[in-house]
Amino acid sequence: MKIGSIIHGKTYEDHHESLINVVDPYRKETIAELIPANPDTASRAVNDSYEVFHETMKHMPAYERAAILRKAADLLEKRRETFVETITQEAGKPVKHSRAEVDRALQVLRFASELVNHFTGEVLPMDAASGGENRWGFVVHEPLGVIGAITPFNFPLNLVLHKVAPAIATGNCVVLKPAEKTPISSYKLAELFHDAGLPPGVLNVVQGGGEVGEALVNHDKVHKISFTGSLPVGREIRAAADLKKVTLELGSNSPNLIFADADLEYAAEQLVTGAFAFSGQACISAQRIYIQDSCFEQFLQLYKEKTMQLTTGDPREESTDIGPMITEEEAERAFTWIEDAKAGGAVVETGGTRDGAVLQPTIMTNVERNMKVIAEEVFAPIVSVVPFSTTEEAVQLANDSIYGLQAGVFTQNINRALQVAQQLEMGGVWINEISTYRQDNHPYGGVKQSGIGKEGVKYAMEDTTNVKFIGINHRYSSGTAD
Ligand SMILES: NC(=O)c1ccc[n+]([C@@H]2O[C@H](COP(=O)([O-])OP(=O)(O)OC[C@H]3O[C@@H](n4cnc5c(N)ncnc54)[C@H](O)[C@@H]3O)[C@@H](O)[C@H]2O)c1
Ligand SMILES: O=C[C@H](O)CS(=O)(=O)O
């Protein structure tokens, strides 16, 4: 299967000397060949979306946009298993987690279709200012135009839809550049939108690696870049984007704080999923667990027992909890971080071994604050368990990071929970829930070096519009527009 860029509903198969192999990370078989867009193709995709925006999309009424998004959701429901298989094949994601991703993607489309008809501006009380009598003021949201969406490998459907659905909902066109390791979901999604009645050119897809992403960032007809991916690439994009609007959804080393009064059994159970689902390759994966010292041993024991029950193997099997990482190189990189930490005195409580791209779920203790496994985004099934004594110390340890995306706090004391939630330097805090839990309707996006801007359907919709003010002096307004 060859996968090319999709422009105005047509697949482009540019002549290109170096095709990119899309590899099933578990079977290590090539499942598709990606034809990278050359600079002309990337530019053609943007120019086409720009024309379609001015000729069609900016005039499309809300009810039509809502209907297309609703139809897309219905089609996704019908094609659910195809997308589940695709995600499992291209990302190596265990099938039960792929199913959860598709179900969330469905909700993203439904939230977007419902919000379209309720997305309002406001009327301002202009006479709040002295001299403002006889005036009305309106705030309206206008679509930005063409949005360049650049996405990562780990949620190849849902994180794409977090950009595409809100942008369509507010009347924009999108040129999407999916991750080159997992481009098939996006290819199928473009087909799905076409079948749902989205006019050609509203969603164009350009295939390839970083250089194709750069072409979008540098194109003067792209009005906004919405990027999800790593911090180094996010930095480059921010620097190159000049005056374009940007949303950057970047990395994290998410902390989870467990106080002695918490339900330890529950916390341990949740944190097995929180740290190890999809081999820790989620930006809000639980990477740091801070546990009050009086119950450190009890928690660690429980946590180890539960972790050792995880089933490793073929991601196509329903019983598999842990499949491969995205590549063997990534598994090797994470493995060397474990070895480095061990050399510095850290202890592997369970796991710590690698077979090809499969890294066993690994719990570490005795980890020092500057070791990579805790200080950097590990993006692998590795979690560090660290004791604390006071609330103040727990907050200080959790905030000791360049990142601030999402955290979990486990305690039965609501006053403490709220106090800690306020003190954590995070985009989001969950109480009695893991950092890794996300619903697609809440605001989501980090502080510090975890990013800029928010997603979560309604919040992403706001970020895909220009806020325009229109005022009227109604004492002197008369006549008709033409
Ligand atoms: N905050 C979030 O919501 C969130 C969600 C998922 C993943 N992530 C982050 O994504 C990272 C893992 O994903 P990844 O390995 O695919 O990330 P990545 O940064 O390597 O790649 C992301 C995308 O950027 C493109 N790209 C690479 N270089 C580029 C450049 N110079 N200009 C423009 N585009 C470029 C890639 O081709 C890909 O499509 C982790 O750091 C993870 O935390 C964040
Ligand atoms: O990888 C980070 C993602 O934001 C995870 S999720 O799709 O939002 O759960």
Side-chain angles (χ1 to χ4, degrees), residues 171-439:
N172 294 280
C173 289
V174 179
V175 180
L176 166 68
K177 208 296 287 171
E180 61 273 35
K181 293 188 184 97
T182 54
I184 306 174
S185 297
S186 287
Y187 191 77
K188 293 194 169 160
L189 186 67
E191 277 175 359
L192 183 145
F193 268 115
H194 174 264
D195 296 347
L198 191 72
V202 176
L203 172 60
N204 286 335
V205 184
V206 287
Q207 304 286 6
E211 64 296 339
V212 184
E214 279 171 30
L216 297 186
V217 176
N218 293 326
H219 201 295
D220 60 2
K221 288 184 179 149
V222 172
H223 301 95
K224 170 179 176 168
I225 292 292
S226 179
F227 170 76
T228 300
S230 61
L231 173 59
V233 176
R235 275 216 175 90
E236 279 181 40
I237 289 177
R238 176 85 197 269
D242 194 27
L243 292 179
K244 286 186 179 70
K245 286 180 191 279
V246 288
T247 293
L248 302 176
E249 297 280 351
L250 309 177
S252 170
N253 55 356
S254 292
N256 286 261
L257 287 57
I258 309 171
F259 289 86
D261 65 353
D263 179 340
L264 294 189
E265 178 85 32
Y266 166 77
E269 184 77 37
Q270 297 296 102
L271 281 162
V272 171
T273 308
F276 302 124
F278 192 34
S279 296
Q281 297 170 117
C283 49
I284 40 182
S285 194
Q287 184 176 330
R288 300 179 285 151
I289 296 177
Y290 297 110
I291 170 96
Q292 201 145 26
D293 41 18
S294 58
C295 53
F296 180 84
E297 287 304 334
Q298 190 191 348
F299 173 81
L300 186 62
Q301 199 50 38
L302 269 174
Y303 195 41
K304 274 162 63 173
E305 280 165 18
K306 289 179 190 295
T307 299
M308 286 189 286
Q309 286 165 16
L310 291 172
T311 305
T312 303
D314 187 338
R316 285 167 183 78
E317 298 290 334
E318 292 289 342
S319 57
T320 296
D321 301 301
I322 306 290
M325 290 183 61
I326 190 68
T327 59
E328 193 162 337
E329 293 71 41
E330 269 300 288
E332 173 59 18
R333 187 264 313 153
F335 178 74
T336 61
W337 287 20
I338 297 173
E339 292 295 302
D340 287 352
K342 274 165 65 181
V347 174
V348 171
E349 299 284 345
T350 182
T353 57
R354 177 178 81 83
D355 178 10
V358 180
L359 187 63
Q360 285 298 326
T362 303
I363 300 175
M364 305 198 75
T365 54
N366 261 15
V367 178
E368 302 287 340
R369 63 177 288 281
N370 59 350
M371 290 176 173
K372 279 185 174 176
V373 285
I374 202 165
E376 297 188 20
E377 180 183 48
V378 75
F379 222 61
I382 305 171
V383 63
S384 298
V385 183
V386 177
F388 69 85
S389 58
T390 63
T391 304
E392 195 185 9
E393 187 190 3
V395 169
Q396 184 263 320
L397 285 167
N399 285 342
D400 181 21
S401 171
I402 59 167
Y403 296 112
L405 190 47
Q406 204 160 263
V409 180
F410 292 82
T411 175
Q412 302 293 335
N413 180 334
I414 189 66
N415 292 330
R416 177 194 291 128
L418 293 176
Q419 182 197 343
V420 169
Q422 281 180 336
Q423 291 174 354
L424 288 176
E425 297 161 353
M426 296 286 151
V429 177
W430 275 106
I431 295 165
N432 291 322
E433 185 53 88
I434 46 179
S435 63
T436 324
Y437 182 72
R438 177 184 179 190
Q439 283 188 197

Side-chain angles (χ1 to χ4, degrees), residues 4-45:
S5 300
I6 302 175
I7 304 175
H8 211 82
K10 279 204 332 237
T11 300
Y12 273 74
E13 301 199 348
D14 301 338
H15 172 71
H16 208 288
E17 279 164 19
S18 48
L19 299 178
I20 300 174
N21 288 337
V22 182
V23 177
D24 175 328
Y26 187 74
R27 296 191 173 161
K28 300 195 170 75
E29 297 163 359
T30 296
I31 50 176
E33 287 178 311
L34 195 67
I35 308 163
N38 61 34
D40 278 355
T41 308
S43 186
R44 199 177 315 138

Side-chain angles (χ1 to χ4, degrees), residues 110-125:
R110 296 221 156 105
F111 285 137
S113 70
E114 286 160 12
L115 284 165
V116 174
N117 293 329
H118 303 280
F119 191 64
T120 58
E122 58 181 331
V123 178
L124 294 182

Side-chain angles (χ1 to χ4, degrees), residues 104 154-155 158-159 282-283 438 444:
R104 284 183 53 195
N154 62 337
F155 287 78
N158 196 35
L159 291 180
C283 49
R438 177 184 179 190
Y444 180 80

Side-chain angles (χ1 to χ4, degrees), residues 45-64:
V46 175
N47 289 332
D48 177 65
S49 285
Y50 185 85
E51 269 178 39
V52 171
F53 173 71
H54 286 286
E55 283 167 15
T56 309
M57 198 54 181
K58 78 186 226 194
H59 309 297
M60 187 187 280
Y63 69 85
E64 266 184 42

